[in-house]
């Protein structure tokens, strides 16, 4: 294009950008000279470059765009197409980049796309790349290729083809000297006004050598970066092995990802840093929304979250303001954690916000505040058979955010999303074979081994139970006696049952009792429960006593009420049914916020942050761990925005109310230990297994062999641990010394302990990352948290919690005292009293909607033993090791299927509800609610 004609077109481009032709110019290098920051690499000594613009500038704001276009106007006459050399000393390298242009919900923002395409058509060559050799020049400086540019950025002549976003492939050609050496990285500079998502680059030389670069990163306009964007091949190196040509790039990339700990994080930032949970409240809005910071204190210890840098609250200097910076679409999330199309795993975070902002308010308006109770069980079952009419079609909304949210919620509506006026819930697995099985005591017990919270039951080692709480402040530890439970022990004494390892408990008394008085002053009513179970000769786990405790109050002493089941199965006890409902309520709450949120989501976040901050993408351990962290920060960030915040979905609908998150801090401080997280250690600590020889999976023997979560989980643990060990032995070449001397690795682990979990940094149980064995244990434990543990407590939520009476989020009444007027009312109409006790209609439907979302797999879920792309490594030995792991996953899937087909196992398909235990199946062939498939990472 002639310079004159290009200049003539500038006013039209400025109009698209919303700028005038007089936009300020910026005398930067022309497009032909871009590719590396001149202050860093272009013929000068290698040193840390100063930022060319403040990191707080967002490229899409008017001033930045104005200066960019001004620069382009000045440079237009200088642009000439690159012509490579064709002499015999030159090697031609062809490249294919896979790119997605700026998009949201699969719909390209037409304005930015047109703007970029028109700029490219006029100015040409605005995305430039340079290759980096693993070697250096004779003077020690990086060896770089000449700049090349993406060819034919404008790939379609009309608007129609640009509306639906996809993965577009672009070509680039390089000419390098024949002595350039092995390619180790490339530098990219985007001079378009808008960002694009770079999936990967594949290079092939004219001699057939292939280089692959898995990038998976947003590339913004170059002006916002302090340093060049660098991407490495999929060939990894320990720090000491790093080729000289890549060393400075390796170091500088980590510096960029760490940031300097200052400033408000912006949408385009890639920075990973730590902070405490001081943004759960909103005291600037209302004083009753003030919440204590979690983390940074002995009283309320907690893992760290990703830092946002927002200013302090005006009303409470200990809290961070929850005001979102201008131009941001929510709480800060490192930009490379954001990418996704409709219904893929990264967009689950948006789905979560859609439930909170689009669905929950509508549901809340459907029911009267009084009585807002279910009439009977048939009334509850109608939400599955008839659906829940919303009284409006949500698609009629004029709110754009609500419209965008709905695209992720199609599965909640009738007719595949065609009618967004009726919520239609699928029938939970618990009800499919026998809708009354949930009432069975043996089903109540079975769910401690194969339900949504199978990681809290423990063997009884002493009876009566003791308490860590002060009896002066909270009353006697228990009212349980041998007489309460002896009739159910098949002729055994309590001592004999304990010795035979047949007596078990799920005990939430001490964690809940300090909060019960405050909880009961609010709208919900709760006890601190303890349930005793007996392992029967039939091979079932039967509840034999439930103790419900209340602390002393001004007018009443402490209360420990013991309830026992009818001796005959055909008999009915309304008191026992109410006791089970209250125990199930606290079970539900403990599961959701402690077993699930705290023990999976919260504790894993420091590992995610430290990995990005301290392990280079060139590090083989980074490659090993990266799948374990996919989309986790996104879902955790959304949870802070809508789930766990003050007045959020959990506080409004769960029994602990405003104390919900504070209680998770108490639980973290009281019993979370990294060395007890791995399944074998966890089982031994709970008395559910004992150490055994290596012939037993996990090196332990189960106390109860028909324990589906543990039985399948140990097989998975062994497979994951074996894979991790083989991988690490390969990359460290069997040398413990190499592990100990790995500077990046030691910094990574030290930061996790000292900062990420800093409130527990002085605990003696932290392992040392000083050998291949210890590192294998560490990495396998991280993999267990993110994969099988999270799967076990998350993806079965709909099967069991999808029917509210089985797991009520809150209760509205305490159990009547014997001889009281309330007892008369309860006995006169037990069903009515139960319905008034159970979770109200509004909360039920809000939580059902939430749980359906949480229980669903995405279309692009990455399951154990599978990878979505095969370019994650170039190491043939590692590929072979992974192939073994994949084959093992297929073998385990078949093994678990055979167990579920074994009708002698009463805690699987042969149980009262006839629900097989499929949660540990490594793979799920379908998306949505499947109840099977173990992803590597926490994506919901």
């Amino acid at each position: 294009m002639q310079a004159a004609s290009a200049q003539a077109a500038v006013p039209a481009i400025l109009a698209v950008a919303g700028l005038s032709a007089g936009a300020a110019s910026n005398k930067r290098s022309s497009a032909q000279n871009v590719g590396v920051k001149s202050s860093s690499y272009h013929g000068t000594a290698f040193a840390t470059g100063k930022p060319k613009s403040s990191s707080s500038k967002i490229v899409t704001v008017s001033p930045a765009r104005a200066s960019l276009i001004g620069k382009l106007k000045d440079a237009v006459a200088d642009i000439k197409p690159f012509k490579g050399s064709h002499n015999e000393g030159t090697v031609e390298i062809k490249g294919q980049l896979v790119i997605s242009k700026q998009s949201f919900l699969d719909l390209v923002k037409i304005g930015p796309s047109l703007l970029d395409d028109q700029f490219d058509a006029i100015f040409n060559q605005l995305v430039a790349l340079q290759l980096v050799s693993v070697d250096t020049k004779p003077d020690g400086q990086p060896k770089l290729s000449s700049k090349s540019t993406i060819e034919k950025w404008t790939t379609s002549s009309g608007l129609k083809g640009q509306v639906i976003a996809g993965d577009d492939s672009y070509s680039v050609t390089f000419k390098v000297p024949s002595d350039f050496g092995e390619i180790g990285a490339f530098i990219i500079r985007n001079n378009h006004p808008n960002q694009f998502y770079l999936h990967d680059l594949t290079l092939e030389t004219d001699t057939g050598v292939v280089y692959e670069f898995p990038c998976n990163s947003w590339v913004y306009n170059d002006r916002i970066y302090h340093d060049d964007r660098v991407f490495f091949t999929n060939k990894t190196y320990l720090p000491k092995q790093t080729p000289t040509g890549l060393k400075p790039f390796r170091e500088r990339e980590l510096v960029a990802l760490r940031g300097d700990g200052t400033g408000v994080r912006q949408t385009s930032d890639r920075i990973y840093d730590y902070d405490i949970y001081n943004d759960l409240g909103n005291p600037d809005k209302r004083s009753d929304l003030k919440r204590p910071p979690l983390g940074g204190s002995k009283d309320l210890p907690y893992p760290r979250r990703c830092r946002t840098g927002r200013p302090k609250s005006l009303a409470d200097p200990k809290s961070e303001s929850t005001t979102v910076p201008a131009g941001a679409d929510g709480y800060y999330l490192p930009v490379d954690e954001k990418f996704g199309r409709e219904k893929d795993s990264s967009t689950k975070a948006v789905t979560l916000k859609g439930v909170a902002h689009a669905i929950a308010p509508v549901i809340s308006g459907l029911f009267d505040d009084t009585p807002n109770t279910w009439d009977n069980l048939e009334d509850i079952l109608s939400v599955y058979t008839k659906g829940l009419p919303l009284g409006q079609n949500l698609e009629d909304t004029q709110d754009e955010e609500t419209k965008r949210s709905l695209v992720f919620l199609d599965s909640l509506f009738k007719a595949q999303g065609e009618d967004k006026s009726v919520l239609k819930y699928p029938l939970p697995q618990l009800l499919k074979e026998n809708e009354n099985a949930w009432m069975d005591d043996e089903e109540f017990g079975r769910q401690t081994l194969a339900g949504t919270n199978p990681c809290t039951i423990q063997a009884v080692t002493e009876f009566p139970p003791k308490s860590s709480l002060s009896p002066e402040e909270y009353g006697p530890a228990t009212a349980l006696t041998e007489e309460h439970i002896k009739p159910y022990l098949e002729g055994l004494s309590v001592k004999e049952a304990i010795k035979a390892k047949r007596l078990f408990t799920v005990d939430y008394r001490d964690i809940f009792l300090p909060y019960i008085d405050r909880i009961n002053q609010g709208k919900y009513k709760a006890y601190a429960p303890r349930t005793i179970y007996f392992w029967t000769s039939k091979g079932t786990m039967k509840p034999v006593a439930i103790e419900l405790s209340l602390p002393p109050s001004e007018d009443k002493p402490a209360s420990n009420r013991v309830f026992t089941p009818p001796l005959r199965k055909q008999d009915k006890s309304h008191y026992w049914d109410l006791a089970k409902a209250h125990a199930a309520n606290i079970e539900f709450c403990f599961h959701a916020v402690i077993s699930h949120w705290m023990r999976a989501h919260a504790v894993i976040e420091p590992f995610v942050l430290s990995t990005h901050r301290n392990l280079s993408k060139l590090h083989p351990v980074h490659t090993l761990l990266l799948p374990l962290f996919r989309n986790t920060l996104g879902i955790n960030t959304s949870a802070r925005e809508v789930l766990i915040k003050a007045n959020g979905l959990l506080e409004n609908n769960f029994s602990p109310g405003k104390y919900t998150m504070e209680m998770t801090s108490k639980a973290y401080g009281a019993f979370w230990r990294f060395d007890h997280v791995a399944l074998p250690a966890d089982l031994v600590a709970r008395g559910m297994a004992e150490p055994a020889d290596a012939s037993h999976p996990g090196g332990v023997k189960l106390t109860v062999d028909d324990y589906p979560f543990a039985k399948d989980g140990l097989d998975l643990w062994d497979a994951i641990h074996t894979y991790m060990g083989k991988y690490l032995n390969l990359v460290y070449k069997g040398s413990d010394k190499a592990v100990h001397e790995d500077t990046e690795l030691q910094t990574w682990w030290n930061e996790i302990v000292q900062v990420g979990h800093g409130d527990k940094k002085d605990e003696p149980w932290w392992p040392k990352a000083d050998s291949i064995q210890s590192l294998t244990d560490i990495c396998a434990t991280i993999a267990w948290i993110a994969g099988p543990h999270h799967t076990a407590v998350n993806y079965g939520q709909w099967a069991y919690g999808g029917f509210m009476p089985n797991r009520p989020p809150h209760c509205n009444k305490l159990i009547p005292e014997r001889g009281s007027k309330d007892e008369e009312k309860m006995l006169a109409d037990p069903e009515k009293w139960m319905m008034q006790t159970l979770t109200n209609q509004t909360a039920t439907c809000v939580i059902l909607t939430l749980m359906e979302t949480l229980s669903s797999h995405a279309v692009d879920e990455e399951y154990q033993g599978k990878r979505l792309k095969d370019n994650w490594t170039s190491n043939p030995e590692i590929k072979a090791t992974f192939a073994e792991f994949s084959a093992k996953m297929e073998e385990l899937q078949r093994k678990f299927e055979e167990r579920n087909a074994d009708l002698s196992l009463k805690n699987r398909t042969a149980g009262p509800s006839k629900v097989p235990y499929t949660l540990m199946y490594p793979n799920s062939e379908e998306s949505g609610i499947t109840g099977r498939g173990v992803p590597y990472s926490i994506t919901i």
Side-chain angles (χ1 to χ4, degrees):
M1 178 180 288
Q2 297 289 328
S5 61
Q7 288 172 330
V10 167
I13 303 303
L14 297 177
V16 175
L19 302 169
S20 69
S25 66
N26 186 318
K27 299 291 186 180
R28 293 194 60 188
S29 301
S30 69
Q32 186 60 33
N33 294 323
V34 302
V36 294
K37 300 276 187 180
S38 58
S39 62
S40 302
Y41 307 133
H42 253 318
T44 59
F46 198 92
T48 302
K50 295 181 179 180
K52 294 213 172 187
S53 61
S54 170
S55 62
S56 64
K57 293 286 180 70
I58 301 176
V59 73
T60 55
V61 300
S62 181
R65 183 168 292 179
S67 60
L68 172 65
I69 295 175
K71 182 266 293 190
L72 290 171
K73 286 172 61 182
D74 291 343
V76 67
D78 297 328
I79 297 179
K80 298 179 179 64
F82 172 75
K83 295 186 183 295
S85 164
H86 291 274
N87 59 46
E88 294 181 359
T90 299
V91 176
E92 182 176 85
I93 301 173
K94 295 284 188 179
Q96 288 291 122
L97 297 102
V98 179
I99 287 174
S100 293
K101 295 182 182 179
Q102 183 182 356
S103 61
F104 183 71
L105 305 186
D106 261 8
L107 300 179
V108 168
K109 293 181 178 178
I110 296 172
S113 182
L114 280 176
L115 185 61
D116 286 347
D117 287 350
Q118 293 300 322
F119 277 175
D120 198 72
I122 293 174
F123 302 120
N124 204 4
Q125 302 177 335
L126 288 180
V127 178
L129 299 89
Q130 280 183 288
L131 303 181
V132 181
S133 173
V134 299
D135 303 322
T136 56
K137 295 190 293 186
D139 62 0
Q141 293 300 302
K143 183 187 289 188
L144 308 172
S145 72
S146 299
K147 177 198 68 66
S148 294
T149 55
I150 290 179
E151 301 161 14
K152 299 181 180 179
W153 178 264
T154 309
T155 56
S156 113
S157 57
L159 179 61
K160 181 178 180 180
Q162 299 177 27
V163 175
I164 304 301
D167 295 350
D168 296 320
S169 180
Y170 296 90
S171 298
V172 61
T173 301
F174 300 91
K175 305 287 185 179
V176 300
S178 57
D179 62 352
F180 187 74
E182 181 183 341
I183 298 167
F186 73 90
I187 299 163
I188 189 166
R189 178 174 284 187
N190 174 21
N191 288 281
H192 285 130
N194 296 289
Q195 65 270 27
F196 56 82
Y197 190 85
L198 178 57
H199 294 270
D200 47 57
L201 168 66
T202 302
L203 300 176
E204 184 172 1
T205 69
D206 51 12
T207 58
V209 178
V210 175
Y211 298 91
E212 292 185 287
F213 298 79
C215 303
N216 302 311
S217 179
W218 285 100
V219 180
Y220 276 70
N221 176 266
D222 184 63
R223 292 174 59 80
I224 73 165
Y225 295 120
H226 293 193
D227 208 341
D228 286 280
R229 292 303 315 277
V230 179
F231 294 95
F232 302 103
T233 66
N234 57 2
K235 183 177 181 179
T236 57
Y237 307 88
L238 297 176
K240 281 189 173 182
Q241 300 168 345
T242 310
T244 55
L246 300 182
K247 279 185 178 180
F249 296 93
R250 180 175 190 146
E251 295 164 0
R252 291 168 72 100
E253 176 70 358
L254 287 175
V255 169
L257 291 169
R258 291 189 196 114
D260 61 7
T262 65
V264 178
R265 297 276 65 84
Q266 301 298 328
T267 301
S268 57
D269 286 348
R270 304 166 56 231
I271 294 172
Y272 298 80
D273 204 354
Y274 303 95
D275 209 339
I276 61 174
Y277 279 74
N278 59 356
D279 65 343
L280 300 181
N282 191 358
D284 290 337
K285 183 176 182 179
R286 290 201 322 255
S287 60
D288 65 308
L289 297 180
K290 179 180 177 180
R291 298 291 181 270
L294 305 183
S297 70
K298 290 184 179 180
D299 188 48
L300 293 174
Y302 219 59
R304 299 302 188 257
R305 63 165 173 91
C306 186
R307 178 185 177 276
T308 70
R310 291 172 303 203
K312 298 298 182 184
S313 160
L314 297 176
D316 177 22
K318 292 183 179 180
S319 298
E320 184 176 86
S321 170
T322 57
T323 302
V324 175
D329 57 3
Y331 286 11
Y332 169 71
L333 180 66
V335 70
D336 287 346
E337 304 293 327
K338 305 176 191 177
F339 178 77
R341 296 184 185 79
E342 182 178 337
K343 298 180 183 176
D344 80 2
S345 54
S346 71
T347 55
K348 289 181 181 179
V350 181
T351 311
L352 197 60
K353 289 194 278 188
V355 171
H357 298 314
I359 307 298
V362 176
I363 293 174
S364 298
L366 295 179
F367 305 101
D368 295 331
D369 290 336
T370 306
N372 193 9
T373 57
W374 300 99
D375 294 335
N376 46 48
L377 285 177
E378 289 71 26
D379 196 20
I380 298 174
L381 290 169
S382 70
V383 302
Y384 314 108
T385 57
K386 299 178 182 178
L388 181 66
L390 297 178
Q392 60 179 287
N393 192 324
L394 294 182
E395 283 194 322
D396 294 339
T397 180
Q398 298 303 306
D399 181 71
E400 290 301 318
E401 182 178 353
T402 298
K403 284 184 177 181
R404 290 196 298 268
S405 300
L406 294 176
V407 72
F408 302 104
L409 300 170
D410 278 351
S411 64
L412 302 180
F413 297 98
K414 290 175 64 177
Q416 305 302 316
E418 293 173 9
D419 179 4
K420 292 186 171 61
S421 64
V422 179
L423 284 174
K424 184 71 176 291
Y425 299 104
L427 190 67
Q429 223 175 343
L430 180 68
L431 304 177
K432 286 185 176 180
E433 296 295 329
N434 181 357
E435 66 178 29
N436 295 316
W438 67 277
M439 301 181 193
D440 193 299
D441 286 351
E442 289 185 352
E443 175 63 23
F444 189 85
R446 189 190 72 84
Q447 290 180 32
T448 66
L449 304 174
T452 55
N453 195 27
C455 51
T456 57
I457 189 169
Q458 54 188 324
V460 171
T461 57
E462 57 184 3
F463 192 90
K466 295 181 179 179
S467 171
S468 61
L469 300 177
S470 164
E472 290 77 19
E473 190 173 357
Y474 295 103
T478 186
L480 276 164
T481 65
E482 182 157 352
E483 285 68 33
H484 284 120
I485 64 174
K486 190 172 181 179
Y488 308 94
L489 303 188
E490 299 181 352
L492 299 176
S493 67
V494 168
K495 185 177 181 180
E496 289 170 335
I498 292 174
K499 185 177 181 180
K501 298 180 181 178
R502 295 178 67 181
L503 208 58
F504 300 88
T505 185
V506 173
D507 193 341
Y508 299 133
R509 180 185 183 275
D510 285 4
I511 197 72
F512 273 84
L513 196 58
Y515 290 91
I516 290 296
D517 188 51
R518 286 174 281 176
I519 290 170
N520 289 344
Q521 291 175 25
K523 57 184 178 179
Y524 304 137
K525 308 302 174 187
Y527 296 93
R530 168 191 287 138
T531 305
I532 306 296
Y533 296 88
F534 177 68
W535 182 251
T536 71
S537 56
K538 295 192 307 179
T540 60
M541 191 68 76
K542 181 178 174 60
V544 296
I546 295 173
E547 183 174 35
L548 301 178
S549 298
L550 296 174
S553 60
E554 292 183 0
D555 55 346
K556 290 184 179 180
S559 168
N560 294 316
R561 298 179 69 183
V562 178
F563 302 86
T564 56
L567 286 172
R568 298 188 310 171
K569 191 170 185 177
Q570 63 268 31
D571 291 341
K572 184 78 172 174
S573 169
H574 302 306
Y575 275 100
W576 176 245
D577 291 343
L578 288 169
K580 286 204 297 182
H582 275 280
N585 159 230
I586 297 304
E587 172 78 19
F588 177 92
C589 296
F590 186 96
H591 156 262
V593 298
I594 296 175
S595 296
H596 186 185
W597 166 260
M598 187 274 284
R599 289 185 59 184
H601 289 258
V603 300
I604 204 71
E605 188 152 339
F607 295 92
V608 181
L609 296 173
S610 186
T611 298
H612 286 290
R613 288 168 53 84
N614 298 302
L615 295 179
S616 166
K617 291 179 175 61
L618 283 170
H619 201 295
V621 175
H622 185 284
T623 301
L624 177 67
L625 296 179
L626 192 60
L628 313 184
F629 304 143
R630 183 171 180 253
N631 298 320
T632 299
L633 290 187
I635 199 64
N636 282 7
T637 300
S638 287
R640 298 204 326 271
E641 286 191 77
V642 299
L643 280 188
I644 64 175
K645 71 170 186 175
N647 208 33
L649 290 180
L650 300 195
E651 279 198 7
N652 282 334
N653 298 292
F654 284 20
S655 286
K658 65 183 291 186
Y659 306 104
T660 299
M661 289 305 294
E662 185 178 326
M663 290 179 65
T664 69
S665 169
K666 293 295 187 181
Y668 172 75
F671 60 75
W672 188 83
R673 315 176 33 150
F674 183 79
D675 65 326
H676 284 179
V677 168
L679 182 59
D682 170 51
L683 292 169
V684 171
R686 290 190 282 119
M688 300 304 292
E690 58 186 23
D693 59 50
S695 65
H696 293 79
V700 298
K701 181 181 179 181
L702 288 173
T703 303
V704 172
D705 194 62
D706 186 14
Y707 184 177
F709 160 70
K711 189 76 171 179
D712 294 358
L714 285 170
D715 285 333
L716 264 181
W717 164 265
D718 257 9
I720 291 169
H721 191 274
T722 298
Y723 167 60
M724 295 280 181
K726 288 183 176 180
Y727 182 105
L728 293 169
N729 261 294
L730 284 173
V731 299
Y732 286 102
K733 302 186 185 305
S735 170
D736 290 341
K737 182 180 179 182
V739 174
H740 184 71
E741 293 179 349
D742 185 338
T743 53
E744 284 185 6
L745 183 85
Q746 296 305 321
T747 301
W748 166 77
W749 183 240
N750 183 67
E751 191 171 278
I752 288 169
V753 175
Q754 297 294 320
V755 182
H757 285 277
D759 296 333
K760 287 180 173 279
K761 64 182 179 181
D762 297 323
E763 297 288 355
W765 39 256
W766 283 107
K768 303 290 185 184
D770 57 2
S771 67
I772 292 175
Q773 181 61 53
S774 64
L775 184 57
T776 298
D777 293 342
I778 288 169
C779 291
T781 299
I782 297 169
W784 174 260
I785 297 170
H789 172 81
H790 178 258
T791 292
V793 298
N794 181 71
Y795 291 105
Q797 288 187 89
W798 187 255
Y800 297 100
F803 182 57
M804 180 275 293
N806 185 62
R807 287 292 182 267
H810 67 250
C811 288
N812 298 299
K813 289 175 176 285
L814 294 177
I815 299 175
E817 297 288 343
R818 299 279 186 178
S820 67
K821 290 184 178 180
D822 279 343
E823 182 185 39
E824 294 178 12
K825 294 179 183 178
M826 185 267 286
L827 293 176
D829 193 340
E831 184 176 40
K832 182 178 180 181
W833 187 276
M834 177 65 82
M835 291 298 107
Q836 291 174 345
T837 296
L838 294 176
T839 304
N840 63 45
Q841 293 171 309
T842 301
T844 296
C845 294
V846 168
I847 297 303
L848 287 184
T849 307
L850 173 64
M851 281 198 296
E852 183 174 2
T853 303
L854 296 178
S855 302
S856 297
H857 283 299
V859 295
D860 71 332
E861 208 82 76
E862 213 170 27
Y863 296 106
Q864 303 285 333
K866 297 183 182 296
R867 297 301 296 266
L868 296 178
K869 296 182 179 180
D870 60 5
N871 66 351
W872 59 279
T873 182
S874 60
N875 187 316
E877 291 181 298
I878 288 176
K879 285 185 176 181
T881 299
F882 183 76
E884 292 175 9
F885 178 59
S886 299
K888 185 65 177 179
M889 291 300 101
E890 293 177 3
E891 175 190 324
L892 290 183
Q893 183 114 353
R894 295 189 294 270
K895 188 175 186 179
F896 299 163
E897 289 170 353
E898 290 171 2
R899 285 176 183 162
N900 281 319
D902 185 349
L903 297 184
S904 69
L905 301 175
K906 302 301 182 183
N907 295 300
R908 294 179 182 264
T909 312
S913 62
K914 303 189 185 306
V915 177
Y917 192 72
T918 59
L919 289 172
M920 293 290 107
Y921 284 14
N923 187 40
S924 176
E925 293 77 16
E926 299 176 351
S927 60
I929 298 176
T930 67
R932 60 183 64 196
V934 183
Y936 293 107
S937 66
I938 299 170
T939 63
I940 191 66

